[in-house]
Amino acid sequence: MNVQFLEPFNRAWKRMTCALFKPFDLHKWFVVGFNAFLAGLMSGTGGSGGSRIHKNADLGEFFRFPATAWAWLQGHPGWAMAILFAGLVGIAVILTLTWLSSRGIFMFMSSVVHDRVEIAKPWREYQAEGNSLFVWRVLFGVFSFVLFGALLAFFFIQGGALYEAGLTRYLPWSFLLGFGLVALGIALVWGYIALFLKEFVSALMFKHRSTAGEAWRRFLALFKANALPFIGFGLITFLLVLVLVAAVIFFVLGTCCIGGLLLAIPYISTVVLLPALYAYRAFSLEFLAQFGPDYDVFPTPVVAEPAAPAV
């Protein structure tokens, strides 16, 4: 089949303009924006400023960092307990936000699909689907933590062994490059899984009122026959994010940073960005709908029967 990208986006844009601007209803923006806020609780991005090794730094000290950190914790049990407690609190917060956002994904989807201004009803209606999605996300998160933890352990152990072996000074740097490429490949696969889960698997759960496992089986069968279009969807998503980031930067600069204050408030920022969030949510659903009725979450329009001719 001929998979389209532009046409689903045009339909999604029309849905957004009709829902949010025809007519403009501030109450609707705040209600739908709340659902979008819940859905996006675990989708925020962290800061981009990373650390880097100074060119004169001792690479051996870098590879020995885990051992140095562990020795420091053993020598400071008070700090070790505080860090452990903070980690447990952080896990509790992450689990709570994941649970709320799992339910919010279906609440926001209901707002887009049915053009409804509701909070309590979709919260109750999609309880089973939200809990199933939450369990899957937690298991996926644990698996990801173990996988990336194992990668980091291999990185420091193997890299330190190469450095301590006294091999050529360039070998550890080639190891860094190779490890970086492998980590990038795994991160791309991880990102696509997370994208497909939120945009398509959840939509199939919504459509068929099924568990996450059943929805994954439906999606993987579809993905097997249409891998390239779904990979292309991920690339388009990346471009749309870049466009949104650029628009936000212009908005902040154009308002002399006043807009930045609004965007710094979590819920208010979602309301401000609601047109973009609404259009993208509709875009992924419209993209999925073109693969057939089993993948179309939108209700079938009711066609009025022609009036009987007067006798």
Side-chain angles (χ1 to χ4, degrees):
M1 64 176 296
N2 185 21
V3 179
Q4 301 289 325
F5 290 96
L6 184 59
E7 184 59 28
F9 183 82
N10 289 336
R11 291 197 297 266
W13 189 263
K14 290 179 181 178
R15 284 185 182 274
M16 182 274 293
T17 54
C18 290
L20 299 182
F21 295 100
K22 297 179 181 180
F24 175 81
D25 184 349
L26 187 60
H27 172 259
K28 183 177 186 178
W29 276 57
F30 276 96
V31 172
V32 177
F34 178 77
N35 292 339
F37 170 69
L38 286 183
L41 281 176
M42 294 300 293
S43 300
T45 57
S48 61
S51 61
R52 58 189 181 92
I53 306 174
H54 192 271
K55 63 181 181 180
N56 293 324
D58 185 357
L59 195 59
E61 292 183 3
F62 174 74
F63 284 122
R64 288 191 294 268
F65 172 76
T68 303
W70 179 249
W72 185 88
L73 290 174
Q74 289 180 317
H76 300 80
W79 277 106
M81 293 298 297
I83 293 173
L84 177 62
F85 176 76
L88 294 176
V89 172
I91 292 174
V93 171
I94 290 174
L95 289 175
T96 301
L97 294 179
T98 303
W99 178 71
L100 289 172
S101 67
S102 296
R103 194 78 69 88
I105 286 173
F106 294 99
M107 295 167 66
F108 186 39
M109 199 181 314
S110 178
S111 297
V112 173
V113 170
H114 300 294
D115 192 17
R116 294 172 181 169
V117 187
E118 298 173 332
I119 293 178
K121 182 180 178 180
W123 171 269
R124 295 189 302 267
E125 184 176 357
Y126 297 100
Q127 176 181 357
E129 290 79 8
N131 291 340
S132 177
L133 181 62
F134 166 70
V135 171
W136 203 96
R137 294 172 79 185
V138 170
L139 294 177
F140 179 58
V142 172
F143 172 78
S144 301
F145 179 81
V146 172
L147 174 62
F148 285 104
L151 280 175
L152 284 177
F154 171 80
F155 169 75
F156 281 106
I157 293 174
Q158 187 64 29
L162 291 174
Y163 185 84
E164 296 296 339
L167 301 178
T168 64
R169 54 177 295 194
Y170 301 104
L171 185 57
W173 291 105
S174 63
F175 171 76
L176 289 175
L177 177 60
F179 179 85
L181 292 176
V182 172
L184 177 61
I186 294 176
L188 286 175
V189 174
W190 182 92
Y192 266 105
I193 293 175
L195 176 70
F196 293 157
L197 174 65
K198 185 174 181 181
E199 303 302 332
F200 302 125
V201 174
S202 63
L204 294 175
M205 295 174 68
F206 182 93
K207 166 74 174 179
H208 299 283
R209 305 305 301 265
S210 66
T211 64
E214 294 171 352
W216 264 116
R217 284 191 288 271
R218 283 192 175 95
F219 174 74
L220 290 176
L222 178 65
F223 178 80
K224 184 178 180 180
N226 302 273
L228 289 180
F230 282 103
I231 293 175
F233 179 87
L235 297 177
I236 291 177
T237 295
F238 177 72
L239 294 177
L240 290 175
V241 170
L242 293 181
V243 171
L244 179 60
V245 170
V248 168
I249 293 175
F250 280 114
F251 173 71
V252 172
L253 296 178
T255 57
C256 298
C257 296
I258 296 177
L261 297 178
L262 291 175
L263 296 178
I265 306 173
Y267 171 50
I268 300 301
S269 65
T270 303
V271 175
V272 173
L273 298 175
L274 185 59
L277 300 176
Y278 194 107
Y280 178 73
R281 175 73 273 191
F283 170 50
S284 62
L285 298 177
E286 292 282 5
F287 178 83
L288 183 63
Q290 66 184 315
F291 292 97
D294 287 342
Y295 308 100
D296 188 355
V297 302
F298 295 104
T300 304
V302 178
V303 179
E305 296 182 359
V311 179

